[in-house]
Amino acid sequence: MFPNNWCKWTPVALSADVPAGTVIPAWTPTGDVALWRSQSGQLSASSDRCPHRGMRLSHGFVRGEALACIYHGWSYGRDGACLRIPAHPDLQPPASINTRNQITTEREGIVWVVNEAQDEPPPSFDGYWPLRSMTFQASIAALEAAAGAKADISGLIRCTLGGETAFLLAVTKGEAETIVHVLADKNASLAQRIAISQAGEQLRRDAESADALEGAN
Amino acid sequence: MKLYDYILSPSCYKVRLLAALTGTQLTLRPVDFHPGGEHLSPALLALNPAGSIPILEDGELVLTESSAMLVYIAAKAAPEWLGSGDPAESAQIQQWLSFSHRLTASLGGARLVEMLLRPGDLAALQASGVKALRELEAALAVQRMKGDIFLTGSKPTVADIACFPYVALAPDGSIALDPYPSIRLWLRAVRALDGFIEMPGIHRLHELKPEPAKETA
């Protein structure tokens, strides 16, 4: 489970879900971020709020090496600095206009974010195949109960989904919401990966109904 | 071909969108759906006793279901939008056309309550909308594992166009799209199609055009 005593990094998304030239919304314990990848492949996590009018920057777009707001087109670089204000083309934007980017890194197809520099990199899950990220309206406890397993020391929940071995990276988002990154073994076949993905739907139904029952008591 | 159209209706937009993508000329006849309720006027009820829009007229032919209009336009102008003719693929396209009506009822229903203050059980509509979105996300996740981005393969069909608008506008019914990475990339793939047109709430991909040059006096 992330972040925790030994890992301040949060796994926020799968690398494959944020291809070059795109921006997606993501969640961290220190605030929502607009996670974006520049045309050249560089990843950044900007605060998901345009300093101008508060529009979510994850509704915006990536052009070249900059993230632009959908509202008035203000654009920002990888260091968070405002690069351009279209309504004031001759103005050099002041340095105080900044999207306050967090630190990002990618390891084995998983994107991690942290708000201050760390001595340790996030864990590397070498040997796994990141399949998909899912949001559960359930607590981690309900997820673990549904999976029939608890997170090990590295933070992975090892369980069986659709008859196949699967690994879950779980992040608590509020009391009753959990983001789950589902991984397969690196050698899993396409059929095995599909079986795990489909069984993830039942895992979510189980976890959510377990939480609903608890709420009814 | 004459389309009885309402600019804010996602079902009307489906027809305008496929017409644009296939180079089909439509004559638009605006209907004062809100606040005028013109779709319930005797003249329009004579065309469509169900009292819904869009209505498509082509000579003697009058169509009142958007999925039928998509099939008609595709068959006439661009049969590749009906798939390859493979039986399984054809059936899957039909399956998604039917599924799109669940999107209309759930996501569209929530949108009518939130935007046009129509009566309805918002929480129940949102719950069935989330269920449909999860089903779509699971299917698209599997498509991506197979290397495809559209609902039935690597090329878009009427199935994608039928499902696209209500999904893209789910936030109008206060249903967030944040938890669905594969839906996000699929929406993007539709918006990236040659000839794509917008409707209010669904904008084009600005990054596909170069940054507007500074105006010189």
Side-chain angles (χ1 to χ4, degrees):
Chain A
M1 271 150 269
F2 308 92
N4 58 32
N5 287 335
W6 56 268
C7 179
K8 300 297 172 203
W9 296 87
T10 305
V12 298
L14 306 186
S15 298
D17 289 340
V18 52
T22 66
V23 56
I24 69 171
W27 182 87
T28 78
T30 46
D32 292 321
V33 294
L35 183 69
W36 58 283
R37 195 188 296 277
S38 74
Q39 212 55 252
S40 72
Q42 302 295 315
L43 204 58
S44 310
S46 305
S47 168
D48 198 6
R49 187 180 184 286
C50 183
H52 177 218
R53 289 285 178 176
M55 170 61 78
R56 287 180 73 183
L57 286 170
S58 56
H59 288 322
F61 57 95
V62 176
R63 187 186 269 137
E65 301 302 299
L67 172 67
C69 180
I70 193 67
Y71 202 3
H72 299 95
W74 292 29
S75 62
Y76 303 92
R78 293 201 57 226
D79 59 357
C82 182
L83 301 172
R84 181 171 177 268
I85 299 176
H88 299 280
D90 295 321
L91 179 76
Q92 175 64 42
S96 57
I97 305 175
N98 190 292
T99 55
R100 308 197 186 291
N101 292 3
Q102 298 198 45
I103 299 163
T104 65
T105 192
E106 284 179 274
R107 299 200 85 179
E108 318 299 338
I110 298 164
V111 178
W112 300 77
V113 173
V114 73
N115 68 335
E116 51 192 24
Q118 301 291 309
D119 295 331
E120 293 290 324
S124 168
F125 292 110
D126 195 11
Y128 301 93
W129 191 320
L131 285 188
R132 57 185 292 212
S133 301
M134 301 173 70
T135 301
F136 286 35
Q137 298 302 320
S139 63
I140 289 218
L143 164 65
E144 288 180 330
K150 288 193 175 294
D152 67 16
I153 188 74
S154 73
L156 270 188
I157 299 168
R158 184 194 170 100
C159 61
T160 303
L161 286 181
E164 308 295 336
T165 305
F167 307 87
L168 312 174
L169 271 179
V171 179
T172 297
K173 177 184 176 183
E175 256 176 49
E177 193 167 355
T178 304
I179 296 167
V180 182
H181 306 290
V182 183
L183 320 179
D185 186 277
K186 195 138 218 158
N187 296 317
S189 67
L190 175 63
Q192 288 172 316
R193 283 178 281 134
I194 290 174
I196 292 170
S197 176
Q198 303 291 42
E201 301 292 321
Q202 187 58 43
L203 177 71
R204 176 161 60 189
R205 285 190 284 268
D206 290 343
E208 291 183 351
S209 62
D211 255 8
L213 282 178
E214 192 153 308
N217 288 338
Chain B
M1 268 187 256
K2 181 168 162 187
L3 181 71
Y4 289 79
D5 181 46
Y6 178 56
I7 183 73
L8 291 178
S9 155
S11 294
C12 295
Y13 168 65
K14 290 178 193 182
V15 182
R16 296 198 304 273
L17 176 57
L18 187 67
L21 292 167
T22 58
T24 302
Q25 285 293 328
L26 290 178
T27 305
L28 298 183
R29 154 64 166 85
V31 175
D32 180 10
F33 177 84
H34 182 85
E38 194 198 350
H39 55 299
L40 301 175
S41 68
L44 288 198
L45 284 176
L47 276 178
N48 178 14
S52 63
I53 48 167
I55 303 166
L56 186 71
E57 270 184 334
D58 192 20
E60 297 288 293
L61 181 70
V62 179
L63 298 174
T64 58
E65 293 290 340
S66 60
S67 292
M69 299 175 204
L70 297 180
V71 168
Y72 181 62
I73 290 174
K76 242 187 136 169
E80 64 273 21
W81 284 86
L82 298 172
S84 63
D86 168 71
E89 189 196 357
S90 299
Q92 280 174 325
I93 290 173
Q94 288 299 326
Q95 181 114 335
W96 286 116
L97 290 178
S98 296
F99 176 83
S100 73
H101 297 289
R102 275 172 59 201
L103 299 174
T104 308
S106 57
L107 303 176
R111 183 170 177 269
L112 281 176
V113 173
E114 288 281 69
M115 270 183 69
L116 299 184
L117 308 177
R118 296 295 158 100
D121 182 343
L122 183 60
L125 292 167
Q126 289 170 332
S128 51
V130 165
K131 211 171 153 198
L133 286 174
R134 285 178 168 187
E135 204 173 317
L136 180 63
E137 171 74 15
L140 286 168
V142 169
Q143 286 298 95
R144 288 175 66 203
M145 288 178 203
K146 294 178 181 168
D148 290 331
I149 187 65
F150 294 107
L151 284 172
T152 58
S154 60
K155 291 192 177 140
T157 70
V158 289
D160 298 280
I161 303 306
C163 293
F164 170 77
Y166 281 104
V167 172
L169 293 170
D172 282 352
S174 302
I175 299 164
L177 289 174
D178 295 20
Y180 310 108
S182 294
I183 287 179
R184 191 158 37 240
L185 289 172
W186 168 73
L187 292 174
R188 207 183 146 76
V190 173
R191 289 159 72 216
L193 293 171
D194 257 356
F196 176 83
I197 56 166
E198 303 179 318
M199 76 163 268
I202 305 180
H203 59 80
R204 66 192 187 279
L205 296 174
H206 296 274
E207 60 270 38
L208 296 182
K209 293 237 171 98
E211 190 158 14
K214 199 167 117 178
E215 285 177 31
T216 46

mmCIF file of all heavy atoms in Angstrom, chain B residues 155-170:
data_model
loop_
_atom_site.group_PDB
_atom_site.id
_atom_site.type_symbol
_atom_site.label_atom_id
_atom_site.label_comp_id
_atom_site.label_asym_id
_atom_site.label_seq_id
_atom_site.Cartn_x
_atom_site.Cartn_y
_atom_site.Cartn_z
ATOM 1 N N LYS B 155 -10.239 -0.641 -36.794
ATOM 2 C CA LYS B 155 -10.889 0.444 -37.539
ATOM 3 C C LYS B 155 -12.210 0.811 -36.868
ATOM 4 O O LYS B 155 -12.902 -0.071 -36.343
ATOM 5 C CB LYS B 155 -11.143 0.015 -38.977
ATOM 6 C CG LYS B 155 -9.852 -0.123 -39.761
ATOM 7 C CD LYS B 155 -10.113 -0.261 -41.240
ATOM 8 C CE LYS B 155 -8.801 -0.333 -42.005
ATOM 9 N NZ LYS B 155 -8.852 -1.310 -43.091
ATOM 10 N N PRO B 156 -12.589 2.084 -36.933
ATOM 11 C CA PRO B 156 -13.857 2.482 -36.312
ATOM 12 C C PRO B 156 -15.034 1.992 -37.145
ATOM 13 O O PRO B 156 -14.921 1.851 -38.362
ATOM 14 C CB PRO B 156 -13.776 4.013 -36.332
ATOM 15 C CG PRO B 156 -12.911 4.327 -37.518
ATOM 16 C CD PRO B 156 -11.907 3.206 -37.601
ATOM 17 N N THR B 157 -16.153 1.750 -36.467
ATOM 18 C CA THR B 157 -17.392 1.387 -37.163
ATOM 19 C C THR B 157 -18.524 2.218 -36.582
ATOM 20 O O THR B 157 -18.314 3.020 -35.660
ATOM 21 C CB THR B 157 -17.737 -0.104 -36.987
ATOM 22 O OG1 THR B 157 -18.123 -0.302 -35.619
ATOM 23 C CG2 THR B 157 -16.584 -1.023 -37.343
ATOM 24 N N VAL B 158 -19.736 1.989 -37.087
ATOM 25 C CA VAL B 158 -20.908 2.674 -36.545
ATOM 26 C C VAL B 158 -21.058 2.403 -35.044
ATOM 27 O O VAL B 158 -21.621 3.223 -34.312
ATOM 28 C CB VAL B 158 -22.198 2.259 -37.290
ATOM 29 C CG1 VAL B 158 -22.219 2.822 -38.695
ATOM 30 C CG2 VAL B 158 -22.378 0.749 -37.301
ATOM 31 N N ALA B 159 -20.527 1.268 -34.566
ATOM 32 C CA ALA B 159 -20.610 0.950 -33.134
ATOM 33 C C ALA B 159 -19.913 2.030 -32.307
ATOM 34 O O ALA B 159 -20.431 2.485 -31.279
ATOM 35 C CB ALA B 159 -19.973 -0.414 -32.864
ATOM 36 N N ASP B 160 -18.716 2.426 -32.754
ATOM 37 C CA ASP B 160 -17.969 3.453 -32.016
ATOM 38 C C ASP B 160 -18.716 4.783 -32.023
ATOM 39 O O ASP B 160 -18.783 5.468 -31.006
ATOM 40 C CB ASP B 160 -16.574 3.630 -32.630
ATOM 41 C CG ASP B 160 -15.755 2.359 -32.533
ATOM 42 O OD1 ASP B 160 -15.207 2.100 -31.452
ATOM 43 O OD2 ASP B 160 -15.691 1.612 -33.524
ATOM 44 N N ILE B 161 -19.272 5.123 -33.178
ATOM 45 C CA ILE B 161 -19.973 6.409 -33.286
ATOM 46 C C ILE B 161 -21.235 6.403 -32.425
ATOM 47 O O ILE B 161 -21.593 7.404 -31.803
ATOM 48 C CB ILE B 161 -20.324 6.716 -34.766
ATOM 49 C CG1 ILE B 161 -19.048 6.712 -35.618
ATOM 50 C CG2 ILE B 161 -21.052 8.055 -34.889
ATOM 51 C CD1 ILE B 161 -17.939 7.622 -35.139
ATOM 52 N N ALA B 162 -21.917 5.238 -32.360
ATOM 53 C CA ALA B 162 -23.145 5.147 -31.566
ATOM 54 C C ALA B 162 -22.846 5.323 -30.067
ATOM 55 O O ALA B 162 -23.659 5.893 -29.335
ATOM 56 C CB ALA B 162 -23.826 3.804 -31.812
ATOM 57 N N CYS B 163 -21.711 4.811 -29.625
ATOM 58 C CA CYS B 163 -21.396 4.848 -28.184
ATOM 59 C C CYS B 163 -20.664 6.124 -27.769
ATOM 60 O O CYS B 163 -20.696 6.501 -26.593
ATOM 61 C CB CYS B 163 -20.573 3.623 -27.796
ATOM 62 S SG CYS B 163 -21.493 2.074 -27.931
ATOM 63 N N PHE B 164 -19.986 6.755 -28.720
ATOM 64 C CA PHE B 164 -19.089 7.871 -28.379
ATOM 65 C C PHE B 164 -19.753 9.063 -27.677
ATOM 66 O O PHE B 164 -19.288 9.489 -26.606
ATOM 67 C CB PHE B 164 -18.355 8.320 -29.658
ATOM 68 C CG PHE B 164 -17.577 9.588 -29.535
ATOM 69 C CD1 PHE B 164 -16.345 9.597 -28.895
ATOM 70 C CD2 PHE B 164 -18.069 10.785 -30.060
ATOM 71 C CE1 PHE B 164 -15.618 10.778 -28.770
ATOM 72 C CE2 PHE B 164 -17.360 11.967 -29.936
ATOM 73 C CZ PHE B 164 -16.128 11.962 -29.293
ATOM 74 N N PRO B 165 -20.851 9.637 -28.214
ATOM 75 C CA PRO B 165 -21.285 10.935 -27.664
ATOM 76 C C PRO B 165 -21.734 10.903 -26.198
ATOM 77 O O PRO B 165 -21.310 11.753 -25.412
ATOM 78 C CB PRO B 165 -22.440 11.338 -28.586
ATOM 79 C CG PRO B 165 -22.175 10.613 -29.867
ATOM 80 C CD PRO B 165 -21.617 9.303 -29.433
ATOM 81 N N TYR B 166 -22.578 9.932 -25.835
ATOM 82 C CA TYR B 166 -23.057 9.922 -24.445
ATOM 83 C C TYR B 166 -21.933 9.632 -23.457
ATOM 84 O O TYR B 166 -21.956 10.114 -22.323
ATOM 85 C CB TYR B 166 -24.216 8.936 -24.277
ATOM 86 C CG TYR B 166 -25.517 9.504 -24.776
ATOM 87 C CD1 TYR B 166 -26.057 9.106 -25.989
ATOM 88 C CD2 TYR B 166 -26.191 10.490 -24.050
ATOM 89 C CE1 TYR B 166 -27.238 9.655 -26.462
ATOM 90 C CE2 TYR B 166 -27.370 11.043 -24.522
ATOM 91 C CZ TYR B 166 -27.892 10.630 -25.719
ATOM 92 O OH TYR B 166 -29.057 11.183 -26.185
ATOM 93 N N VAL B 167 -20.942 8.844 -23.899
ATOM 94 C CA VAL B 167 -19.802 8.588 -23.009
ATOM 95 C C VAL B 167 -18.998 9.880 -22.830
ATOM 96 O O VAL B 167 -18.681 10.280 -21.710
ATOM 97 C CB VAL B 167 -18.916 7.458 -23.567
ATOM 98 C CG1 VAL B 167 -17.638 7.321 -22.742
ATOM 99 C CG2 VAL B 167 -19.683 6.144 -23.572
ATOM 100 N N ALA B 168 -18.708 10.533 -23.946
ATOM 101 C CA ALA B 168 -17.906 11.761 -23.872
ATOM 102 C C ALA B 168 -18.581 12.815 -22.994
ATOM 103 O O ALA B 168 -17.912 13.612 -22.341
ATOM 104 C CB ALA B 168 -17.662 12.311 -25.278
ATOM 105 N N LEU B 169 -19.923 12.823 -22.990
ATOM 106 C CA LEU B 169 -20.664 13.847 -22.247
ATOM 107 C C LEU B 169 -21.120 13.361 -20.868
ATOM 108 O O LEU B 169 -21.910 14.055 -20.206
ATOM 109 C CB LEU B 169 -21.866 14.315 -23.068
ATOM 110 C CG LEU B 169 -21.488 15.068 -24.349
ATOM 111 C CD1 LEU B 169 -22.708 15.273 -25.231
ATOM 112 C CD2 LEU B 169 -20.834 16.413 -24.024
ATOM 113 N N ALA B 170 -20.622 12.207 -20.419
ATOM 114 C CA ALA B 170 -21.021 11.695 -19.098
ATOM 115 C C ALA B 170 -20.850 12.734 -17.986
ATOM 116 O O ALA B 170 -21.701 12.832 -17.096
ATOM 117 C CB ALA B 170 -20.244 10.418 -18.770
#
